Amino acid sequence: MATKTWKIEKDLCRCCHAEGTFDNLAEPRTFLEKEEVYSDMLRECLDLDIPPVPGELCAITYSICNACITRLRDACNFKKQVQDCEQRFMTLYYKNAIQGLNTETVVKEELEVSIDDNHSDDDIETIVLKKEEDDDDDSFMDRDDDDDDMSEDFAITKKPTTSMKTRSKPKAKPKAPPVKKEKPQPQPKKKAEPKPVKEKKGPVLYDDFTGTFDEAGGKTFTCNACGKVFGKRGNFSQHYRQVHLKQRPKLRGCRFCDVKVSPNLRAFHMEKHGLPAPSCGVCGKKFARPSEVLSHQRFYHMGEANYRCEPCDIGFMKNSGLQRHMAKHKSDKPFKCELCHKSYKWRNNLRTHIMVHTNVRPYVCKVCDKAFIQSSNLKYHMTTKHPNDD
């Protein structure tokens, strides 16, 4: 098996493996009148030490791209923000300068108070009485059963109507005889009605496709409306919803202006405000998301492939691309024209052929108004007949 080699033509970002013209990790840079050393920032903020390699690869492999610099700078600023907030909080806490809701309960102390007859009604309000310790055993035994639940210390909160010394204890009420409850007769159980099935929340999956299995067991989904092939059913549903049902994704607002764009075009719109879109450092191609840049570099520049054609050894990132390619190795042509019985391997070729019978020519030359069925024919016409015209 031949070993894979990695050919680096420009600087290599050690954080995302992008290639291009980048800044050195150890050289100091100035940003907003502050000096930055990216290797020190990685070590202090993320506890990561990226050492340079010796030899000729030292200079071109010890660099960092602009996208990673922005993310590193945000991480350092966030760490400093947390440290400053925590230091200020602890300083105020030890100075007792932070106040909260007072949820503590106040416990009143019991006081022994001697009561005279000369006190007024207002003076004897909320007085705490204590149980006498010299009670006789006979008086203790003569207590009613209802007095067992009373606590030893009790507080008077209402104004007494009689003298405190001559106050008599309330008599216990006679207990009523227990009433026997009749057991209810069991009622016949009602048949449980089936509960309505709740609709599951989530993306709607459409079924206007033709599913096929390959020899390896993988399934592909071919759209019945336009013939496009997808490796996942969710991708087909997204295509069917947006292209054929015209249900476009929700637009997101820009934080710098009033324009609303779709998520796929958001990165390209932000370039107008000075924020560069994720791009490949080797070929300069721009993408909507950083993950697409990594997939592009792994496939086109590093030679990685998830699926590979055995007859011709061509690699593909998705199974759907491999299935479209495998049609070249098959001799059957399932798509036939009903007018002239000409057959094709792909549905798109059949649709282009039908345009010959219907005389539909959507591509028109702006110079001589000559119309063509395919865009490639118009490009060839412009290069041969009108080479000096745009």
Side-chain angles (χ1 to χ4, degrees):
M1 180 177 179
T3 59
K4 296 181 180 180
T5 58
W6 186 1
K7 184 178 180 181
I8 301 176
E9 299 179 356
K10 296 183 179 181
D11 297 338
L12 174 70
C13 177
R14 292 288 290 274
C15 299
C16 67
H17 287 183
E19 294 186 23
T21 304
F22 303 144
D23 297 335
N24 191 280
L25 284 168
E27 293 182 0
R29 302 287 179 178
T30 303
F31 178 76
L32 297 180
E33 299 181 357
K34 291 183 180 180
E35 188 176 86
E36 296 178 340
V37 181
Y38 304 122
S39 59
D40 296 343
M41 294 170 64
L42 288 169
R43 189 180 302 107
E44 295 172 2
C45 181
L46 304 178
D47 196 17
L48 295 175
D49 190 7
I50 300 180
V53 296
E56 60 181 2
L57 295 177
C58 178
I60 63 175
T61 61
Y62 198 63
S63 59
I64 182 172
C65 66
N66 295 332
C68 294
I69 291 174
T70 303
R71 299 180 66 182
L72 176 61
R73 191 179 292 124
D74 293 341
C76 295
N77 293 337
F78 179 73
K79 181 179 179 181
K80 187 177 183 302
Q81 171 190 327
V82 175
Q83 291 175 344
D84 295 342
C85 293
E86 186 65 13
Q87 182 180 1
R88 183 172 180 271
F89 174 82
M90 298 306 298
T91 302
L92 296 175
Y93 174 78
Y94 287 118
K95 290 182 179 180
N96 294 330
I98 301 178
Q99 298 179 359
L101 296 177
N102 188 9
T103 58
E104 299 179 356
T105 57
V106 180
V107 180
K108 297 182 179 179
E109 297 182 356
E110 295 179 354
L111 302 176
E112 294 184 1
V113 182
S114 60
I115 304 174
D116 297 335
D117 294 337
N118 296 329
H119 289 315
S120 63
D121 293 342
D122 295 336
D123 295 333
I124 64 177
E125 189 174 1
T126 64
I127 297 177
V128 179
L129 299 180
K130 297 186 67 177
K131 178 186 173 185
E132 297 181 358
E133 297 180 356
D134 298 331
D135 290 346
D136 296 335
D137 296 340
D138 297 339
S139 62
F140 177 77
M141 297 299 294
D142 292 337
R143 289 185 178 181
D144 295 331
D145 295 339
D146 295 343
D147 295 339
D148 294 340
D149 297 335
M150 298 177 63
S151 61
E152 294 181 358
D153 303 332
F154 59 94
I156 299 176
T157 57
K158 295 182 179 181
K159 296 181 180 180
T161 56
T162 59
S163 176
M164 297 299 297
K165 293 183 179 180
T166 61
R167 184 178 180 181
S168 60
K169 297 180 180 179
K171 294 182 180 181
K173 296 181 180 179
K175 295 182 179 180
V179 179
K180 294 182 179 181
K181 296 182 179 179
E182 296 181 358
K183 295 182 179 180
Q185 296 181 357
Q187 297 180 357
K189 296 182 179 180
K190 297 181 179 180
K191 294 183 180 180
E193 297 180 356
K195 296 182 179 179
V197 180
K198 296 182 179 180
E199 296 181 357
K200 295 183 179 180
K201 295 182 179 180
V204 180
L205 298 179
Y206 302 95
D207 54 358
D208 191 13
F209 63 88
T210 302
T212 56
F213 291 91
D214 55 4
E215 297 178 356
K219 188 175 182 180
T220 58
F221 303 89
T222 304
C223 179
N224 295 335
C226 62
K228 288 189 176 181
V229 182
F230 300 91
K232 296 181 180 179
R233 186 175 179 182
N235 296 343
F236 159 75
S237 299
Q238 180 181 1
H239 156 79
Y240 190 83
R241 179 176 60 254
Q242 297 182 5
V243 177
H244 301 294
L245 299 182
K246 304 301 180 181
Q247 297 178 1
R248 302 299 182 183
K250 294 183 179 179
L251 302 180
R252 297 181 58 186
C254 177
R255 58 183 179 180
F256 297 105
C257 62
D258 298 333
V259 178
K260 293 184 178 181
V261 294
S262 62
N264 294 333
L265 301 177
R266 180 177 176 83
F268 305 105
H269 170 76
M270 298 302 290
E271 285 188 323
K272 300 179 181 179
H273 302 288
L275 298 178
S279 60
C280 177
V282 180
C283 60
K285 188 176 181 180
K286 298 181 180 180
F287 299 89
R289 300 174 182 85
S291 59
E292 298 177 359
V293 180
L294 297 178
S295 301
H296 163 80
Q297 292 176 345
R298 289 173 181 173
F299 179 72
Y300 289 98
H301 303 297
M302 301 175 65
E304 297 182 6
N306 299 330
Y307 303 91
R308 190 167 295 277
C309 175
E310 295 181 358
C312 56
D313 196 24
I314 297 178
F316 299 91
M317 289 296 294
K318 297 181 180 180
N319 188 22
S320 58
L322 175 61
Q323 296 304 319
R324 289 193 296 268
H325 168 77
M326 291 302 295
K328 298 180 179 179
H329 301 288
K330 296 180 182 180
S331 58
D332 56 337
K333 298 179 180 180
F335 303 100
K336 296 182 180 180
C337 177
E338 297 179 356
L339 299 177
C340 62
H341 303 289
K342 199 172 183 178
S343 58
Y344 298 90
K345 290 184 178 181
W346 292 279
R347 187 190 297 269
N348 290 337
N349 294 348
L350 174 60
R351 291 188 175 184
T352 305
H353 167 74
I354 293 177
M355 296 172 67
V356 176
H357 297 290
T358 57
N359 197 21
V360 176
R361 301 175 182 270
Y363 303 98
V364 182
C365 177
K366 297 180 180 180
V367 181
C368 60
D369 295 335
K370 192 174 181 179
F372 301 91
I373 296 176
Q374 298 181 4
S375 60
S376 59
N377 296 340
L378 175 60
K379 292 180 181 179
Y380 179 77
H381 169 77
M382 294 297 296
T383 55
T384 55
K385 302 297 182 180
H386 315 287
N388 299 327
D389 296 330
D390 295 335

